[in-house]
Amino acid sequence: MSSSTPPVTSPTTPRSDVVIVGAGIIGLAHAFEALSNGLSVTVLDRDRRPVGASVRNFGHCCISAQDGELLALAQRSRPGWLRAAEASGIWAAEAGTLVVARSATEAAVLEELHAERGGDAVRLRSAAQTAEALGRAAGEDGDLVGGAVLPADLRVDPREAAPGLARWVAEQPRGRILWGTAVTGVESGTVHTTRGPVHGDRILVCVGHDLDHLLPDVAEDHGIQRCRLTMARAAAPEGFRTDSAVLTATSMLRYDAFTARPSAARLREEVLGHSAELLEIGANVMFTRQPDGTLLIGDSHHYDATTPPFVDERTYELLIDAVARVLGVPRLRILERWQGVYASSPRGPLLVRDLAPGVRAISVTSGIGMTLSFGLAAATFDGTLAATA
Ligand SMILES: Cc1cc2nc3c(=O)[nH]c(=O)nc-3n(C[C@H](O)[C@H](O)[C@H](O)COP(=O)(O)OP(=O)(O)OC[C@H]3O[C@@H](n4cnc5c(N)ncnc54)[C@H](O)[C@@H]3O)c2cc1C
């Protein structure tokens, strides 16, 4: 920082009703909800714009694939996303999810979910309908059996959603974002930053996986690890047009709505038989279409206390080949590659921890923060979000 840069906080910096640490989707959804409730908000982020997990993902609000309490929270998130999109002008499409079935077992899991949730929530598709949605010939490789559309799911553009919401927050008379302001500690009423103290009645720490840096004891107590995911952006094959997120068998092995079905155990054995390498890299072979027509494809999951910077090219080969097979094309033209990180914990999908009176840390520890963000924010401000053990 140049010596002429003015401090962004000073003794005259106004106190806010709510101070939020972290301008990722969790912090910004809370800022949106607080401002919607007429509260004044200051958001602090150490970076100059959102570059964390919230811009590196698929932009998939994967509501229907959740089960139990997380399903309820995800369902609560949906109207929040739509309201925020309307207010801020970001793209949010009620595009749903297409789950592709490429074997009788995969189709059985989808049929079981259909029987459980009903035809409005899970619409079964024939092989021809699935092929049409993918823009490929029906059963070209003899490998499309059917599919299902989950219409409640939403799609957003991850590169635009958090930055667009941040812009909206900063434009509100009661909203403020201080970029380039790293938080070093929190206590009741005060957030300590690299630019001086910031005061607020209520403090929400929403730093995602960086909780292990800011509050290492809290992160360790919740068993938080960093989950590293590899992603790529590819040119879409000609004919591919759907805005639905596309999930496959490996996705079904990762989301509770599918793993709770009777045929899920058989599906795991089947995938292990034909795609053991995909399971070894923790693959969730899926893809989403960006508003510019390109595809976000991924992903793998590797868990560690910290994130090695190196990505084994074999991981990319496996994922890219798997997506190409679903799309019925020999290869994909890759435009970009990157890694993303999210907080993960074997103790549970959420960390909600009261640190001091009026100070709370909220991290999603299960890789579904885009899905839950606005549901969590609504529950925070109506007082129904309980602290986790
Ligand atoms: C590759 C990938 C794919 C994913 N796909 C999906 C998906 O399809 N659907 C879904 O629901 N979820 C998905 N997720 C998970 C989702 O992206 C995350 O759960 C969510 O983005 C977490 O949001 P966050 O705001 O907690 O964290 P982040 O977006 O990481 O934001 C945290 C912010 O805190 C700031 N910060 C950290 N420490 C400090 C500090 N000391 N002081 C000030 N600021 C600080 C950081 O700069 C950052 O801006 C995916 C994640 C990845 C990585």
Side-chain angles (χ1 to χ4, degrees):
M1 182 170 57
S2 99
S3 56
S4 60
T5 305
V8 291
T9 68
S10 73
T12 55
T13 302
R15 186 182 182 92
S16 299
D17 294 324
V18 186
V19 177
I20 296 172
V21 186
I25 199 60
I26 303 300
L28 293 168
H30 280 83
F32 178 82
E33 193 67 27
L35 287 162
S36 303
N37 284 324
L39 301 170
S40 60
V41 177
T42 297
V43 180
L44 308 167
D45 200 289
R46 65 176 178 199
D47 227 310
R48 306 288 165 156
R49 59 176 186 271
V51 289
S54 303
V55 300
R56 301 180 190 208
N57 59 51
F58 292 99
H60 180 210
C61 302
C62 184
I63 298 161
S64 321
Q66 312 307 324
D67 214 1
E69 286 176 17
L70 289 186
L71 176 62
L73 205 50
Q75 285 169 332
R76 204 164 175 203
S77 202
R78 192 177 196 279
W81 266 111
L82 293 175
R83 268 190 297 116
E86 193 177 357
S88 65
I90 62 169
W91 180 76
E94 297 182 76
T97 296
L98 171 68
V99 193
V100 176
R102 299 165 71 217
S103 77
T105 312
E106 295 172 26
V109 173
L110 297 179
E111 281 155 22
E112 288 161 7
L113 186 63
H114 172 263
E116 170 80 17
R117 300 256 177 106
D120 288 342
V122 181
R123 298 182 188 151
L124 295 177
R125 291 290 182 258
S126 66
Q129 288 170 319
T130 304
E132 193 189 345
L134 293 173
R136 56 168 281 185
E140 208 166 57
D141 301 319
D143 68 350
L144 281 184
V145 168
V149 168
L150 313 175
D153 292 5
L154 298 179
R155 286 287 329 290
V156 298
D157 174 357
R159 297 185 184 201
E160 185 224 354
L165 282 168
R167 233 178 355 259
W168 180 87
V169 168
E171 283 165 8
Q172 303 313 300
R174 289 166 173 265
R176 199 161 62 123
I177 300 206
L178 303 181
W179 298 107
T181 305
V183 170
T184 53
V186 285
E187 60 181 291
S188 293
T190 303
V191 177
H192 299 282
T193 85
T194 43
R195 297 186 192 248
V198 177
H199 302 288
D201 295 341
R202 192 167 181 186
I203 294 162
L204 300 171
V205 179
C206 305
V207 294
H209 55 280
D210 288 321
L211 196 75
D212 59 359
H213 291 174
L214 181 59
L215 297 164
D217 294 344
V218 175
E220 278 166 25
D221 191 49
H222 194 69
I224 285 185
Q225 285 212 311
R226 292 182 165 225
C227 178
R228 172 170 62 94
L229 302 88
T230 45
M231 297 282 289
R233 190 167 67 88
E238 211 166 308
F240 183 85
R241 289 218 163 66
T242 181
D243 282 330
S244 302
V246 179
L247 301 185
T248 68
T250 49
S251 321
M252 290 193 230
L253 296 179
R254 299 193 68 89
Y255 293 114
D256 291 350
F258 307 108
T259 57
R261 308 283 71 88
S263 296
R266 190 154 44 94
L267 177 60
R268 178 165 293 281
E269 288 306 308
E270 187 176 284
V271 175
L272 192 60
H274 61 67
S275 301
E277 275 190 295
L278 282 177
L279 292 189
E280 275 163 30
I281 62 164
N284 171 2
V285 177
M286 63 171 287
F287 45 100
T288 55
R289 183 175 183 263
Q290 288 286 85
D292 70 0
T294 60
L295 298 182
L296 301 179
I297 71 176
D299 57 14
S300 57
H301 297 76
H302 291 97
Y303 302 85
D304 206 337
T306 193
T307 311
F310 314 108
V311 183
D312 184 346
E313 185 59 18
R314 180 72 185 140
T315 300
Y316 276 112
E317 282 170 9
L318 287 166
L319 291 170
I320 293 164
D321 286 356
V323 171
R325 276 199 300 279
V326 175
L327 286 165
V329 294
R331 71 187 64 81
L332 289 167
R333 189 161 64 86
I334 301 302
L335 306 170
E336 287 177 336
R337 297 168 195 248
W338 66 96
Q339 291 194 91
V341 178
Y342 65 65
S344 175
S345 168
R347 309 255 167 90
L350 294 175
L351 176 143
V352 181
R353 186 71 63 93
D354 293 318
L355 306 170
V359 185
R360 182 169 256 205
I362 304 171
S363 276
V364 176
T365 51
S366 49
I368 51 171
M370 295 295 274
T371 307
L372 300 183
S373 48
F374 284 90
L376 284 171
T380 290
F381 288 104
D382 74 6
T384 56
L385 185 65
T388 49

